[in-house]
Amino acid sequence: KKLVPGVAGTTYPIERLGIAPVVMADGPSAVRLSVKREGDDKKYFATNVPCETLLASSWNNEATYKIGKILGEECREYGIDVLLAPGVNMMRNPLCGRNYEYFSEDPLLAGKMSAAMVNGVESEGVGACPKHFAVNNQELNRLHNDARVSQRALREIYLKNFEITVKESQPWMIMTSYNNINGRHASEDRGLLETILRDEWGFEGIVVTDWGGGYDAAKQIWAGNDLIEPGRYAEVKRIMEAVKSGELAESDLDRCVKRVLELVVKSIRHKGYKFSNNPNLEENGKLTREIEPEGFVLLKNEQNALPFTKEQKVALFGTGAYNLILSNSVSVRSLHGRTVNLDEGLRNAGVSLNEALDKRYIKHMQNEKKRLAPFWKLRRWCTYDLRPVELRDIRNHTARAAEESDIAVITIGRNSSESFDRHVERDFNLNMHEQAMISAVSRDFHSRGKKVVVVLNICGPVEIASWRDKVDAILVAWLPGQEAGNSIADALLGKVSPSGHLSTSFPMKYADVPSQNFPHNEVEWCAESGKNLSRVFDQKQPIYYDVPNIDYTNYEEDIYVGYRDYATRKVEVAYPFGYGLTYSQFEMSDMSVKECKDGYKVSCTVKRAGNFPAKQVVQLYSSELAPEVDRPTIELRGYKKTPLLQAGESTVVEIVIKKEDLMTYNEKASAWKLTKGEYDLLLGFDSQTLPLKHRITITKEILK
């Protein structure tokens, strides 16, 4: 509170020894600190950047690196030494409450994006702290849930993302998760923290608990968890007693002390950096606006419904357009000084809105804000957020709006937060009022030959198959950050082409999701029973009531997460992993595969055939023809985003992979294994459309 109000915490300073405190702030949607300070009229804002799902959907490492630089610069200028970000966990299930701050259902994409953000943050002289290590894939009972997962799935899916992050960025810190993994708390697992993280991967930084995580401080120190936050005297006492009794070796404690001191001497506070409390918010906002459309995903665009022109009058439907979700409500509530809703963004771009409909929504939103104000005032950050309801009399407005307007834009919003998971009926599926709005708007506009566009301002996938045929275009804008209204308007009007591709699959229905034992719709059960609430901090021992999927979760789908399952089982999806359209068309040709040191250099030519300047994403997958162990039909091995291509322009894309990238984890040998045989390398623009193929032969088995 004295150093930087509103941050997560610090290490303990020892002034007589010249040991400065290390200040840590939450992320990744923004640098989290207090906007107001006692006795100070100045407001301390931070840039609200796009959520990590949007960044991963950009498939653009450079863009994510730039967002990391924004976060790093603002940390530095506010006197913050370490940003507690990025979130790296896998999207095992689309209902996980924190998926918005995770990157992908694929570990390679998540790991590459995480490394890019870490490198961006740390290029500004401050540290990054990827989290939550590991297997933090549900929020319900997250402090005590035991994630029971095979060693193969652990290595290939749930640790691979962290491995890539460590090897390609070497972050200053890593945060352990609250949950247990196969019966052992993550922060008390020496095999995880020392054998795997440090000895195998070469991690050189410190390991910190999540705030309040862990059961036994002495076991945490022994395991290699160097820093316990926020820190309590009882933990200090427990460590001291363990050392005195010989239960904990003094050398184990010394090891952790040494690592923490190494962090201290790297910190800007120790180095005496004179921070300004004045980061470049204006420039950071401009860059954020440029980057946001990189991750917008155009799912549908029939008969070139998009882009439309500013001369067309727009009928703007949906409360979400007047109350865009910029980010999750926990990390960045009131942290930014700028909020641009879609109505404002369209007006800024010179678009005329249907006046009568606009007035109706403005009045409705005023009433909704009054109705919800008491809840918002009393709401704890870890409880479900209420959103304004849709107009109940929408059918009274659609016909007139269709007569007076040229095009309809409907906005659907979804938010989620730490400490609770989403619901199937309440969150994943559209409610009856949203379905009624889409049906009524589409009927009246289409009967007059006019187009209907849907903007999805969402934290994660929603059910889309039941209504997509009713509309002409669908744009996924995710949680875009503070420039949301302006950047969405830029995309709708064609000032820039959306160029994102899905970093997570959109299933046809929730019943198709491979992880069906996820605790969906369980929040009310826990609240009513009083058992296993997510915010239990004061238990000395884990509480087990033996409730499946709450006390423990068996990862029954094993390695078959997301598209790995859909592709292998041939399950139809609404939109596959890696899918995304642009306002132009592209052709891919001339695939070439050349063997190089320890791997292969894969290249192809991408040519823009359409009339609109745009970027495209090339994706490389592998498929083993006769695997000796069960494995997915396809697995992502690399990707590359093209530069902006003009009409008729082409570019050569190169992707390099190592032979070890084709390995599977052999549980009997406790090692990675590359088997002899034939493999197909496949290139395409999404995981279902892979037109180019080249077969390679591995002649020598490798065990690593």
Side-chain angles (χ1 to χ4, degrees):
K1 290 181 179 179
K2 291 181 180 179
L3 296 173
V4 185
V7 297
T10 71
T11 59
Y12 200 89
I14 307 176
E15 292 183 9
R16 65 183 177 83
L17 298 179
I19 298 173
V22 174
V23 178
M24 294 164 279
D26 283 329
S29 297
V31 179
R32 189 179 179 190
L33 73 167
S34 296
V35 174
K36 298 180 180 179
R37 299 181 182 179
E38 189 174 346
D40 188 348
D41 293 334
K42 181 180 176 179
K43 292 185 177 180
Y44 296 81
F45 292 122
T47 303
N48 184 185
V49 300
C51 73
E52 288 189 3
T53 309
L54 183 150
L55 294 176
S57 296
S58 76
W59 297 65
N60 187 333
N61 297 353
E62 184 181 352
T64 302
Y65 176 86
K66 290 177 180 178
I67 292 296
K69 283 184 70 68
I70 288 174
L71 295 168
E73 186 256 350
E74 294 186 8
C75 279
R76 188 187 68 232
E77 293 310 315
Y78 279 131
I80 295 163
D81 301 287
V82 177
L83 180 72
L84 302 174
V88 197
N89 294 100
M90 301 307 302
M91 296 177 179
R92 174 182 179 247
N93 187 285
L95 300 184
C96 176
R98 297 187 83 169
N99 276 351
Y100 63 88
E101 65 175 11
Y102 299 150
F103 289 109
S104 177
E105 66 185 34
D106 181 84
L108 182 136
L109 181 57
K112 294 284 187 181
M113 286 289 157
S114 172
M117 180 175 281
V118 170
N119 285 327
V121 170
E122 296 191 348
S123 71
E124 296 294 321
V126 300
C129 180
K131 58 188 183 184
H132 309 85
F133 190 58
V135 205
N136 182 178
N137 307 116
Q138 70 183 61
E139 287 299 286
L140 185 57
N141 195 28
R142 61 184 182 157
L143 269 72
H144 303 298
N145 175 262
D146 185 20
R148 299 176 180 177
V149 56
S150 73
Q151 286 300 307
R152 183 183 175 193
L154 193 63
R155 291 293 194 139
E156 292 186 17
I157 305 295
Y158 297 103
L159 295 184
K160 177 58 71 173
N161 42 348
F162 285 97
E163 180 182 358
I164 293 169
T165 301
V166 169
K167 291 182 176 179
E168 297 190 5
S169 67
Q170 197 55 256
W172 288 15
M173 299 173 69
I174 281 182
M175 182 189 294
T176 49
S177 56
Y178 285 126
N179 53 279
N180 294 271
I181 305 170
N182 295 326
R184 183 173 295 165
H185 193 278
S187 66
E188 298 173 9
D189 189 337
R190 189 176 178 119
L192 182 68
L193 305 184
E194 289 293 326
T195 305
I196 295 176
L197 179 61
R198 297 185 184 280
D199 298 341
E200 291 187 22
W201 300 350
F203 178 62
E204 298 173 357
I206 78 163
V207 176
V208 59
T209 64
D210 204 339
W211 267 233
Y215 309 132
D216 189 320
K219 288 183 179 178
Q220 289 174 305
I221 297 298
W222 170 80
N225 194 109
D226 309 296
L227 180 62
I228 300 172
E229 286 287 351
R232 296 185 291 269
Y233 178 71
E235 293 166 331
V236 177
K237 184 179 179 181
R238 168 75 179 106
I239 293 168
M240 291 171 65
E241 289 174 348
V243 172
K244 290 176 181 177
S245 69
E247 179 188 352
L248 178 66
E250 191 171 329
S251 59
D252 287 329
L253 184 58
D254 288 344
R255 177 189 58 190
C256 292
V257 170
K258 178 177 182 290
R259 291 171 182 164
V260 173
L261 290 175
E262 288 171 344
L263 172 70
V264 169
V265 298
K266 287 196 296 186
S267 67
I268 59 171
R269 194 167 293 274
H270 174 81
K271 292 178 178 179
Y273 179 74
K274 304 298 181 184
F275 53 90
S276 66
N277 272 326
N278 190 32
N280 197 343
L281 298 178
E282 184 175 351
E283 288 302 314
N284 291 346
K286 290 179 181 179
L287 182 57
T288 297
R289 178 173 176 175
E290 292 175 11
I291 289 174
E292 286 169 1
E294 289 267 354
F296 290 172
V297 183
L298 185 62
L299 295 181
K300 182 178 182 179
N301 194 24
E302 295 292 328
Q303 298 179 334
N304 297 320
L306 290 176
F308 56 79
T309 68
K310 65 180 181 180
E311 286 73 32
Q312 292 176 279
K313 181 176 285 189
V314 173
L316 198 56
F317 290 92
T319 57
Y322 295 83
N323 188 22
L324 283 174
I325 307 166
L326 311 182
S327 183
N328 81 297
S329 57
V330 175
S331 294
V332 294
R333 188 187 304 163
S334 302
L335 288 184
H336 48 84
R338 182 177 175 82
T339 299
V340 184
N341 287 311
L342 185 52
D343 61 327
E344 182 183 354
L346 289 170
R347 289 191 189 94
N348 291 341
V351 174
S352 296
L353 302 181
N354 183 286
E355 187 174 352
L357 185 63
D358 188 47
K359 288 181 178 179
R360 178 69 183 93
Y361 268 106
I362 290 173
K363 182 179 179 181
H364 175 67
M365 291 302 296
Q366 290 171 345
N367 293 335
E368 280 296 281
K369 287 177 180 178
K370 288 179 183 179
R371 181 180 70 85
L372 294 172
F375 168 81
W376 286 338
K377 185 176 181 180
L378 297 174
R379 174 182 178 268
R380 294 182 64 214
W381 64 270
C382 57
T383 55
Y384 204 88
D385 195 13
L386 292 182
R387 299 276 299 156
V389 299
E390 294 297 341
L391 288 174
R392 298 291 193 259
D393 61 343
I394 191 67
R395 292 182 179 84
N396 297 335
H397 305 279
T398 53
R400 178 182 173 185
E403 284 290 340
E404 298 174 347
S405 310
D406 300 306
I407 191 169
V409 176
I410 302 170
T411 303
I412 302 293
R414 287 292 185 275
N415 198 8
S416 63
S417 186
E418 182 179 353
S419 277
F420 64 81
D421 294 308
R422 297 171 62 199
H423 284 219
V424 175
E425 296 303 328
R426 190 167 67 188
D427 251 72
F428 182 78
N429 295 336
L430 269 58
N431 62 49
M432 65 179 189
H433 301 296
E434 292 167 329
Q435 290 274 11
M437 174 172 60
I438 291 173
S439 296
V441 172
S442 299
R443 178 198 63 215
D444 287 335
F445 274 75
H446 286 161
S447 67
R448 293 163 175 81
K450 299 175 181 179
K451 302 292 197 305
V452 177
V453 176
V454 172
V455 174
L456 294 176
N457 173 211
I458 52 177
C459 57
V462 295
E463 190 279 323
I464 207 167
S466 67
W467 54 267
R468 63 181 172 183
D469 291 341
K470 298 177 183 179
V471 303
D472 303 288
I474 304 171
L475 179 70
V476 181
W478 306 112
L479 309 183
Q482 69 183 42
E483 296 295 326
N486 286 330
S487 59
I488 294 173
D490 289 342
L492 295 176
L493 291 166
K495 292 182 179 179
V496 61
S497 174
S499 60
H501 289 241
L502 293 177
S503 64
T504 181
S505 308
F506 274 52
M508 291 290 287
K509 56 186 181 300
Y510 183 75
D512 294 332
V513 174
S515 51
Q516 282 296 301
N517 62 339
F518 187 86
H520 59 279
N521 299 351
E522 299 285 5
V523 174
E524 290 89 348
W525 179 91
C526 289
E528 291 168 3
S529 69
K531 298 177 181 179
N532 296 325
L533 297 179
S534 294
R535 301 298 296 173
V536 179
F537 277 107
D538 57 354
Q539 302 297 333
K540 294 182 180 179
Q541 297 295 328
I543 302 173
Y544 291 107
Y545 295 104
D546 295 324
V547 180
N549 309 326
I550 296 176
D551 296 316
Y552 64 89
T553 302
N554 294 324
Y555 282 47
E556 297 167 352
E557 73 285 355
D558 201 53
I559 59 172
Y560 290 95
V561 177
Y563 76 90
R564 284 171 164 79
D565 176 78
Y566 301 132
T568 304
R569 288 196 297 134
K570 295 181 172 56
V571 175
E572 184 183 5
V573 293
Y575 295 100
F577 174 80
Y579 181 85
L581 304 174
T582 71
Y583 292 153
S584 199
Q585 294 80 44
F586 292 86
E587 298 171 353
M588 180 187 293
S589 62
D590 303 327
M591 182 178 183
S592 171
V593 177
K594 296 180 180 179
E595 191 164 358
C596 56
K597 184 181 179 182
D598 301 326
Y600 302 92
K601 182 182 292 184
V602 183
S603 64
C604 69
T605 299
V606 176
K607 182 179 180 180
R608 211 202 85 201
N611 297 319
F612 203 100
K615 300 178 182 180
Q616 182 58 280
V617 175
V618 176
Q619 301 164 36
L620 172 65
Y621 296 83
S622 73
S623 178
E624 187 175 0
L625 269 65
E628 66 176 25
V629 296
D630 188 35
R631 72 185 305 180
T633 301
I634 56 169
E635 296 170 273
L636 182 69
R637 298 305 181 197
Y639 60 89
K640 192 74 171 288
K641 196 164 196 174
T642 71
L644 187 71
L645 298 179
Q646 304 298 323
E649 188 178 1
S650 63
T651 186
V652 175
V653 172
E654 286 189 351
I655 301 172
V656 177
I657 63 169
K658 297 179 180 179
K659 289 182 180 178
E660 65 182 45
D661 294 336
L662 303 174
M663 290 179 165
T664 59
Y665 190 77
N666 187 291
E667 293 185 342
K668 290 184 178 179
S670 295
W672 290 93
K673 184 178 181 180
L674 178 64
T675 56
K676 294 187 292 184
E678 293 183 317
Y679 296 75
D680 281 340
L681 300 181
L682 307 124
L683 286 175
F685 297 144
D686 65 66
S687 62
Q688 280 190 354
T689 310
L690 300 167
L692 302 185
K693 179 173 68 175
H694 183 95
R695 187 160 294 173
I696 60 172
T697 302
I698 301 296
T699 58
K700 183 180 179 181
E701 181 180 287
I702 300 175
L703 200 65
K704 182 179 178 181

